[in-house]
Amino acid sequence: MADIKKYRIGNPIPTDSVVVDMEIMTGKIPFLTINENDKTLSMKLEKTDRVYGLGETVRGMNKRGWTYTSNNSDDPVHTEDKRSLYASQNFILITSVYSSCSLGIYVDTPGKVTFDIGYTKLDELKISFEDLDADLYFIEGKSPLETVSAFRHMIGRSYIPPRWAFGFGQSRWGYKNESDIRRVADEYAKADIPIDMIYMDIDYMERFKDFTVDEEAFPEFPAFVSEMRENGIHLIPIIDAGVKIEEGYDVYEEGVKGDYFCKKENGEKLVAAVWPGQVHFPDFLKDSAREWFGNKYKVLMDQGIDGFWNDMNEPAIFYTEDHLAEVFEKLDDYKGKNLDIWSFFKFKDLVGSIANNDEDYRRFYHEYKGQKIRHDKVHNLYGYNMTKAAGEAFERLCPNKRILMFSRSSYIGMHRYGGVWCGDNQSWWSHLLLNIQQMPALSMCGFLYSGADIGGFGADTTEDLLLRWTAFGIFTPLFRNHSALGTREQEMYQFPSCDIFKNLVELRYALIPYLYSEFMKAVLEEKMLFKPLGFEYLDERSAEVEDQLLLGDSLMLAPVYKQNASGRMVYLPEDMKMVRFRAWNDYDEEVLTQGDHYVKAGLDEVLVFIRKGKVLPLADIERSRNANNNSNVSAAYSGLRSGDVSVTDLKYICYEAAAEDYRLYTDDGISRI
C-alpha cells in the first residue's frame, strides 16, 4: 500500500477537500526545500522524471517545461502561453521508468499557487505561494496507479451522475424559446440521431436572473419540460453565480434579508456585473448562504428539471462599480491627447483592466468557518462551494435520486458534488488534442464525469473537426456538443455528413454498457478512468506517448486530431486487436503486433484497440431501437435514448479472452449509491 504523510506549513485555511483524518507530521519535510523569504518550496527533478497531474491545464500530459498557476480564471482563449484556466487541482505525480516508486504531492491551500515545473530551471520543481500556508500531502506508491488510488481514497468518492447523463447532449448559446428547442429535437429525430439532453444556456432566463424562466419564451414551462421528458429528452438549464440586483426579484430580496451576499471590508455589499448587469455574489463559503442558494434549485426541480450546469463561478466579473469608476476617472486624462505607442499601451491596458481585475478580487470578503477572509485568499474555493451548495441541496431534496450536475470552476473536493466541463474552448484542432491530454489529469484528481465542448465553443467549427472531435467525444463521460452565439451552427444535422454523425452517436450508445461499467468501477474502486500509457506500461517508449490514452480496463484510444490527416502513427506497447468501426454493427478486426504502426482512419471511422486478455461489450442498438419503438415515446420524437440501451444480450469483442472474463457493472442508473 502507498505511504501517505501530511505536513503543515504556516497556518493554512482549511478547504475540506480531504475526507480522511491524518496526523500532522513534525520535523523536516521530505523531498522539498523551504525558502521562507521568497515563499517557495523546491525539489530537484531527475532528467528522467515525468510530472503528471494538475487537472485541467494547458499543454501535454507530462507537465514539465512550463509554469502553471492555480488561480481560477475566466479566460476562454486556452493557448499554450496561459498559466491559469478555470480550475485549480493542485495534485502532481512524479514518476520515472527508472524508479521503483512514484511520488504524489497534494498542495492543499485555497489561494494562488504557482508550480514552476522545470521552466526556470530544467531540473527543478518550485512551488510558490502568496502566503506560505498549506497542508502538504506526500504519497509514495510502488506505481503511478497505486499512488493515484491512495490520493483518490484520501479525497473521497467521486460524484456519480444518473445513467442517462451518458447519452448525447446538444447545446448552444442561442436557444431562445420553446420553438428553438423543439426544432433541435425535431431535427435530431428526423436525422434519427440518438439524443438524451438539450441544454439551456442563459437565454431561457428572465433577463438573466437565476432561478427564473422567461414567460414569453416559455409560457408553460412545466408542461414543456414534461413534453420533452415524455419524449425522452432532459432539459438542462444553466445557473450563474451572480444574482441580479433588482427590487421585487425574490432571490435578490431573500439574499439581502438573509445577509447571504459578499461584502466589502466596510460592510457594504459588493456591486459587480455579469450577464444581467449589476449583481451581488452569494457568499458560498458561508454555511447559511450555501444552504439558502442550494435550496433555490428546487424552484426548477419542482418544474421537472433534473440536471444543471453551474457557470461563471470563478467568479467571472465583467466589472465592479468601484473599479469602473476608477477607470472612467482615469480616461479623462487621455482625452484630446496624441497617444504615442507607450501612452496607447497604457490606455489599452486601462480599458482592458475592467474585466476580471485582480484588485477586484481583493475588494470583498467571505464569512468562512467563523472568520472574515478576503476573497483572494480563498478564491479557488468559490466555484467548488457553489456546486457543493447544489450537491448538498440535492441530498436533502431528493435523497434517493441522482441529479446531473457539472461546473466550470472547481477545486479538489468539488469532485464529490459534480463533474466538470473544460470551459469555453475554441473550435481549434489544438483544442481537440488538449481535450485528449486533459482527461487523464482530471481522472487523477477525481473528476471522472468530465468532457469538453465537442467541436469547440468559440470560433467556427469545420465539418471534419466536428467529425474527428465527435469520434473522440463518444468515449468521454460528458458527451456534449456546445457552441457560442454568433459562431457557425454546429448541430450534427446541419452537415452533409449527417449519416456519419448518426453512426458515431449510435456507436456511443452501443458503448454505454462498457463506459458506464468502467466509470462506476473507477468511482467505487478509486481507479483512474483515463490513463496515460505510461501508467500501465512502465517503459520509456510508452511514457513518451501523449496523444493516446487508456480507457478503463480494456481499451486504448488513438484519436486522429490533425486536419486533412487520413490516418496516424500509433504505438502499441503490446500486441492488441484493432477494431475499425464504421458503425456499431459494421467493423473489421485485426491483430497488430507490439511496436509502431501507421493506421488509416477515414472521417467515417473510429479506431479502438483492445488490450490482450480483455473484452469490449457492445449493446445491440437495433434491438434497443425496436424496444423503443414499442414504448410510449411519440412518433414525432421517436429515437434511441440511453434508457433504451439494454445490458442483456450484449455482443462481445474479445482478444484472447472470453465474454465471461468481462465484469459488467449494472444498477438502476438513478438511485443514489
Side-chain angles (χ1 to χ4, degrees):
M1 291 184 61
D3 178 53
I4 306 176
K5 290 185 172 63
K6 176 182 179 181
Y7 292 84
R8 176 164 291 172
I9 52 175
N11 186 29
I13 298 168
T15 67
D16 297 336
S17 62
V18 173
V19 299
V20 176
D21 289 332
M22 281 181 237
E23 177 187 358
I24 299 173
M25 308 295 291
T26 58
K28 181 177 173 59
I29 297 177
F31 308 110
L32 297 174
T33 299
I34 301 177
N35 187 324
E36 295 186 359
N37 293 327
D38 64 3
K39 300 178 182 177
T40 63
L41 309 175
S42 60
M43 68 176 288
K44 180 177 175 58
L45 293 174
E46 300 298 331
K47 186 176 181 180
T48 58
D49 285 343
R50 289 178 169 83
V51 183
Y52 297 90
L54 296 182
E56 183 189 326
T57 46
V58 297
R59 301 193 173 226
M61 295 181 191
N62 181 1
K63 313 311 290 189
R64 281 192 77 158
W66 192 239
T67 296
Y68 307 86
T69 299
S70 292
N71 184 45
N72 294 358
S73 301
D74 173 26
D75 183 350
V77 187
H78 307 164
T79 47
E80 286 190 22
D81 61 328
K82 297 300 169 68
R83 287 171 163 79
S84 305
L85 298 184
Y86 298 108
S88 294
Q89 296 143 348
N90 301 341
F91 175 67
I92 60 174
L93 185 144
I94 304 169
T95 188
S96 169
V97 295
Y98 299 103
S99 173
S100 60
C101 69
S102 65
L103 173 66
I105 303 175
Y106 177 41
V107 180
D108 189 13
T109 184
K112 186 183 292 187
V113 184
T114 296
F115 295 82
D116 180 339
I117 308 177
Y119 170 70
T120 302
K121 295 181 180 179
L122 287 173
D123 63 348
E124 183 180 66
L125 164 68
K126 181 175 284 189
I127 305 171
S128 304
F129 302 79
E130 288 192 341
D131 300 299
L132 196 58
D133 301 305
D135 282 331
L136 304 174
Y137 297 85
F138 298 88
I139 308 166
E140 290 185 85
K142 296 178 181 178
S143 70
L145 294 177
E146 183 180 80
T147 301
V148 171
S149 182
F151 174 66
R152 292 270 305 284
H153 177 75
M154 189 178 88
I155 61 175
R157 195 177 77 179
S158 297
Y159 160 78
I160 300 173
R163 186 174 181 267
W164 54 258
F166 286 78
F168 169 63
Q170 180 62 56
S171 183
R172 181 174 172 84
W173 175 16
Y175 297 155
K176 297 183 181 301
N177 50 42
E178 289 183 4
S179 296
D180 287 347
I181 292 175
R182 279 199 185 96
R183 182 171 62 252
V184 173
D186 288 344
E187 294 297 332
Y188 272 104
K190 289 176 186 176
D192 200 22
I193 297 175
I195 184 171
D196 273 82
M197 293 157 280
I198 297 177
Y199 288 82
M200 305 172 70
D201 211 313
I202 57 175
D203 314 273
Y204 82 92
M205 301 178 188
E206 179 196 336
R207 292 179 291 117
F208 310 121
K209 295 187 295 185
D210 276 341
F211 309 112
T212 68
V213 177
D214 185 335
E215 293 183 358
E216 291 187 9
F218 300 91
E220 298 290 340
F221 188 64
F224 180 61
V225 174
S226 178
E227 172 194 328
M228 291 291 108
R229 283 291 300 278
E230 287 172 3
N231 294 295
I233 295 176
H234 301 258
L235 298 181
I236 314 297
I238 197 170
I239 304 294
D240 288 329
V243 172
K244 182 176 174 62
I245 299 171
E246 180 179 274
E247 296 296 329
Y249 170 36
D250 61 339
V251 181
Y252 164 72
E253 292 187 341
E254 288 173 15
V256 171
K257 183 178 180 180
D259 193 25
Y260 298 140
F261 294 129
C262 294
K263 300 174 185 175
K264 298 188 292 186
E265 189 171 19
N266 63 7
E268 295 177 1
K269 296 176 187 64
L270 178 78
V271 178
V274 281
W275 303 117
Q278 293 181 344
V279 300
H280 291 324
F281 289 127
D283 186 357
F284 295 122
L285 278 71
K286 184 178 181 180
D287 291 346
S288 60
R290 195 167 59 250
E291 181 178 4
W292 161 73
F293 194 88
N295 286 336
K296 300 306 293 183
Y297 287 82
K298 187 174 186 293
V299 172
L300 293 169
M301 293 170 70
D302 285 346
Q303 299 179 71
I305 295 298
D306 54 4
F308 302 87
W309 46 309
N310 286 344
D311 194 15
M312 306 294 283
N313 53 353
E314 292 72 36
I317 298 177
F318 290 176
Y319 61 85
T320 64
E321 283 293 293
D322 297 299
H323 184 54
L324 195 61
E326 294 167 355
V327 170
F328 279 133
E329 183 177 346
K330 292 177 182 178
L331 284 176
D332 287 337
D333 296 339
Y334 293 90
K335 287 182 178 178
K337 289 187 177 180
N338 179 15
L339 303 182
D340 63 13
I341 186 172
W342 307 118
S343 55
F344 172 73
F345 283 166
K346 288 181 180 179
F347 173 80
K348 188 177 178 182
D349 288 344
L350 177 63
V351 175
S353 75
I354 294 174
N356 302 316
N357 182 272
D358 284 345
E359 286 302 315
D360 283 338
Y361 292 107
R362 299 185 181 97
R363 294 182 193 273
F364 62 102
Y365 289 74
H366 297 276
E367 292 182 36
Y368 184 50
K369 298 185 182 294
Q371 298 182 55
K372 179 180 178 181
I373 300 179
R374 200 173 71 195
H375 173 81
D376 62 300
K377 305 296 184 183
V378 289
H379 172 72
N380 296 328
L381 298 184
Y382 191 77
Y384 160 18
N385 278 274
M386 179 185 182
T387 299
K388 182 179 180 181
E392 291 174 331
F394 299 154
E395 291 177 10
R396 295 191 299 271
L397 299 172
C398 48
N400 299 316
K401 179 182 176 182
R402 303 180 213 170
I403 301 294
L404 174 60
M405 167 55 68
F406 56 91
S407 170
R408 189 169 79 174
S409 173
S410 66
Y411 184 90
I412 288 172
M414 199 214 81
H415 71 286
R416 300 192 296 270
Y417 303 97
V420 294
W421 96 99
C422 299
D424 297 343
N425 59 2
Q426 303 291 316
S427 296
W428 299 339
W429 289 88
S430 61
H431 277 189
L432 168 53
L433 176 60
L434 181 62
N435 184 191
I436 295 165
Q437 293 174 328
Q438 285 178 337
M439 296 308 292
L442 286 167
S443 194
M444 289 171 66
C445 295
F447 293 91
L448 299 186
Y449 189 76
S450 57
D453 288 340
I454 303 299
F457 174 73
D460 292 328
T461 198
T462 61
E463 187 170 9
D464 55 342
L465 174 59
L466 187 59
L467 284 166
R468 292 298 195 194
W469 210 323
T470 303
F472 173 67
I474 63 173
F475 297 100
T476 62
L478 172 56
F479 177 38
R480 180 178 78 154
N481 178 325
H482 184 41
S483 57
L485 185 70
T487 64
R488 180 182 188 177
E489 294 182 352
Q490 63 184 48
E491 294 84 5
M492 295 175 181
Y493 53 76
Q494 303 275 6
F495 297 93
S497 300
C498 184
D499 287 346
I500 300 177
F501 283 115
K502 176 179 183 291
N503 289 336
L504 290 172
V505 179
E506 285 186 344
L507 176 57
R508 159 59 172 235
Y509 280 65
L511 287 164
I512 284 178
Y514 177 77
L515 296 174
Y516 188 71
S517 287
E518 296 305 300
F519 178 92
M520 292 302 298
K521 285 183 275 188
V523 169
L524 300 176
E525 299 170 15
E526 296 162 342
K527 295 180 178 179
M528 291 180 69
L529 181 62
F530 289 95
K531 295 167 282 190
L533 268 60
F535 279 29
E536 285 277 7
Y537 302 97
L538 305 179
D539 62 271
E540 181 95 26
R541 181 71 176 84
S542 296
E544 290 181 352
V545 175
E546 299 218 351
D547 59 356
Q548 301 170 207
L549 65 174
L550 301 170
L551 169 56
D553 189 52
S554 299
L555 302 186
M556 186 188 78
L557 307 178
V560 177
Y561 57 89
K562 293 181 180 179
Q563 190 163 30
N564 300 320
S566 59
R568 58 160 292 168
M569 292 298 301
V570 176
Y571 173 69
L572 302 185
E574 62 177 339
D575 296 355
M576 292 186 181
K577 175 178 282 188
M578 183 178 74
V579 185
R580 183 186 303 275
F581 283 101
R582 289 170 291 275
W584 70 272
N585 58 351
D586 178 11
Y587 55 87
D588 302 321
E589 303 175 34
E590 179 183 0
V591 173
L592 300 179
T593 58
Q594 185 274 338
D596 292 289
H597 299 264
Y598 180 80
V599 294
K600 302 283 285 185
L603 289 171
D604 62 339
E605 295 178 320
V606 177
L607 304 181
V608 172
F609 298 84
I610 301 176
R611 299 171 62 192
K612 186 177 292 188
K614 306 297 182 180
V615 178
L616 172 62
L618 285 174
D620 187 319
I621 293 303
E622 196 60 40
R623 187 188 302 272
S624 298
R625 191 185 302 280
N626 290 337
N628 182 50
N629 287 339
N630 294 324
S631 72
N632 294 322
V633 176
S634 71
Y637 294 106
S638 63
L640 189 66
R641 305 289 183 257
S642 60
D644 302 319
V645 175
S646 174
V647 295
T648 60
D649 300 321
L650 298 176
K651 298 172 61 177
Y652 293 89
I653 305 177
C654 308
Y655 179 35
E656 295 189 4
E660 54 268 23
D661 294 328
Y662 185 75
R663 180 165 57 95
L664 186 74
Y665 176 93
T666 60
D667 59 29
D668 67 9
I670 196 67
S671 300
R672 289 182 181 269
I673 298 171

